[in-house]
Amino acid sequence: MPHLIVEYSSNLSAYPEAQALAELNAAVCASPEVLDEADLKSRFVRNASFHVGTAASGRGFVHAQLRLLSGRSPEAKQDLAARVAEVLRRLTPRPAGVMVQLSVEIVDMDRPSYVKERL
Amino acid sequence: MPHLIVEYSSNLSAYPEAQALAELNAAVCASPEVLDEADLKSRFVRNASFHVGTAASGRGFVHAQLRLLSGRSPEAKQDLAARVAEVLRRLTPRPAGVMVQLSVEIVDMDRPSYVKERL
Amino acid sequence: MPHLIVEYSSNLSAYPEAQALAELNAAVCASPEVLDEADLKSRFVRNASFHVGTAASGRGFVHAQLRLLSGRSPEAKQDLAARVAEVLRRLTPRPAGVMVQLSVEIVDMDRPSYVKERL
């Protein structure tokens, strides 16, 4: 069931999205929390219209949101966030003169109302 | 107040977005939970950069997020999710050789801090 | 740590995104809740595929989501939402014949599992 959405600012040019998607999915699916690897649906979104803080330029970000059905332990959530962060830390471009922030957020999805099926 | 955001993987080509938006809004606005049909703000997002699980290809997804002010009963949430799922199940393309996953998520929005107005 | 995501329907043409980003960040960073201005990561997303309610046309929206680490007081959240709303109310285009809705949502992010670092 997990959904992984990675956004990044477009000044991180040449982001290796395909490689990152493959490595993120391998890392997350290796967690005991993911029972079926096919459940993980990941995507990248490039933000061309962004602004970090009050400085005019010289800053960028990559932010990942992992949405899981509710009920995971705090330890499991921290482990999953660490798996995502490890890949993004390694693969995110670091252009000269740009301060790049990395963040990973775990979101609980409401389990009783969740619909999931294969068409 | 509801917001409906539907994302889908770009291998579901020729997704009938306009038809789906009209039918989704009709289905959701027919719920007794929606007091004013004009409140429902829906949009489609096509994800061209995606990866499902650890397989290289042959998989796609459509995922809907319905964001509501908090306070709905579990039954109301399940009903709303079912309304969204019915439309997407019917209208989502099923390309040959692609395993397509459908999911619907209900999200509670914090009511006390929510701002809403017409300009 | 805050993330600000502003979506708007594409019938609000010529949205002054750059000006809005600068003014939003100035307004939010002036809050005592934001300890380091560089933490605020804001972006605009234009939705070209949208539908509001059951009317065929003549409606648009702008919606902002401010995602914060959990633990803020209700008053602090209301103040932050008001800061965002003030800027959007002032800068959102109001095309003739279009009823425009403005909304602002505050989202709590799970603090224990949140990862944040500078690369």
Side-chain angles (χ1 to χ4, degrees):
Chain A
M1 95 315 311
H3 291 273
L4 178 61
I5 303 101
V6 184
E7 297 170 275
Y8 68 96
S9 56
S10 60
N11 58 347
L12 308 184
S13 50
Y15 204 111
E17 298 186 19
Q19 180 187 359
L21 283 167
E23 295 201 22
L24 285 164
N25 283 19
V28 172
C29 290
S31 157
E33 297 293 324
V34 179
L35 300 182
D36 182 350
E37 53 81 23
D39 280 344
L40 179 62
K41 294 165 281 285
S42 302
R43 48 266 198 198
F44 260 81
V45 177
R46 179 182 172 95
N47 294 126
S49 181
F50 70 94
H51 201 87
V52 179
T54 55
S57 64
R59 293 168 174 181
F61 67 88
V62 58
H63 177 62
Q65 204 179 82
L66 184 64
R67 304 182 75 88
L68 301 159
L69 287 179
S70 51
R72 260 70 180 197
S73 70
E75 292 74 23
K77 292 183 190 179
Q78 288 174 350
D79 174 69
L80 286 161
R83 290 170 184 268
V84 171
E86 188 280 324
V87 174
L88 296 178
R89 189 183 299 123
R90 193 156 39 76
L91 295 183
T92 295
R94 307 178 187 202
V98 178
M99 186 269 281
V100 181
Q101 296 182 56
L102 159 67
S103 50
V104 182
E105 174 191 359
I106 306 292
V107 181
D108 271 342
M109 300 192 294
D110 185 58
R111 186 181 287 267
S113 62
Y114 196 73
V115 172
K116 173 189 168 179
E117 56 195 56
R118 299 192 177 182
L119 299 182
Chain B
M1 90 324 305
H3 292 273
L4 178 62
I5 303 101
V6 183
E7 296 170 275
Y8 68 96
S9 57
S10 60
N11 58 347
L12 307 185
S13 50
Y15 205 110
E17 298 185 19
Q19 181 187 359
L21 283 166
E23 296 201 23
L24 285 164
N25 284 19
V28 172
C29 290
S31 158
E33 297 294 323
V34 179
L35 301 182
D36 182 349
E37 52 82 23
D39 279 344
L40 178 62
K41 293 165 280 287
S42 302
R43 49 265 200 200
F44 258 85
V45 178
R46 179 182 172 95
N47 294 126
S49 182
F50 70 94
H51 201 88
V52 179
T54 55
S57 64
R59 293 168 173 180
F61 67 89
V62 57
H63 177 62
Q65 204 180 82
L66 183 64
R67 305 181 75 88
L68 301 159
L69 288 178
S70 51
R72 262 66 181 198
S73 70
E75 292 74 22
K77 292 183 191 179
Q78 287 173 349
D79 174 69
L80 286 161
R83 289 171 185 269
V84 171
E86 189 280 325
V87 175
L88 296 178
R89 189 183 299 124
R90 195 156 38 76
L91 295 183
T92 295
R94 305 177 188 204
V98 179
M99 187 271 281
V100 181
Q101 295 182 57
L102 159 67
S103 49
V104 182
E105 175 190 357
I106 306 292
V107 180
D108 272 342
M109 299 192 295
D110 185 59
R111 186 181 286 269
S113 62
Y114 196 72
V115 172
K116 173 190 167 177
E117 57 196 54
R118 297 192 178 184
L119 299 182
Chain C
M1 93 319 309
H3 292 272
L4 178 62
I5 303 102
V6 183
E7 297 170 275
Y8 68 96
S9 57
S10 60
N11 58 346
L12 307 183
S13 49
Y15 204 111
E17 298 185 19
Q19 180 187 0
L21 283 166
E23 296 201 22
L24 285 164
N25 283 19
V28 172
C29 290
S31 157
E33 297 294 324
V34 179
L35 301 181
D36 181 350
E37 53 82 21
D39 279 343
L40 179 61
K41 293 165 281 286
S42 302
R43 48 267 199 198
F44 258 85
V45 178
R46 179 183 173 94
N47 294 126
S49 182
F50 71 94
H51 200 87
V52 179
T54 55
S57 63
R59 294 169 173 179
F61 68 88
V62 57
H63 177 62
Q65 203 180 83
L66 183 64
R67 304 182 76 87
L68 301 160
L69 287 179
S70 51
R72 261 69 179 199
S73 70
E75 293 73 24
K77 292 184 190 179
Q78 288 173 349
D79 174 68
L80 287 161
R83 291 170 183 269
V84 172
E86 189 280 324
V87 175
L88 296 178
R89 188 183 300 123
R90 194 156 39 75
L91 295 183
T92 295
R94 306 177 189 204
V98 178
M99 186 270 280
V100 181
Q101 296 181 57
L102 159 67
S103 50
V104 182
E105 175 191 357
I106 306 292
V107 181
D108 271 343
M109 300 192 293
D110 185 60
R111 186 181 287 268
S113 61
Y114 196 73
V115 171
K116 172 189 168 178
E117 56 195 56
R118 299 191 177 182
L119 299 181

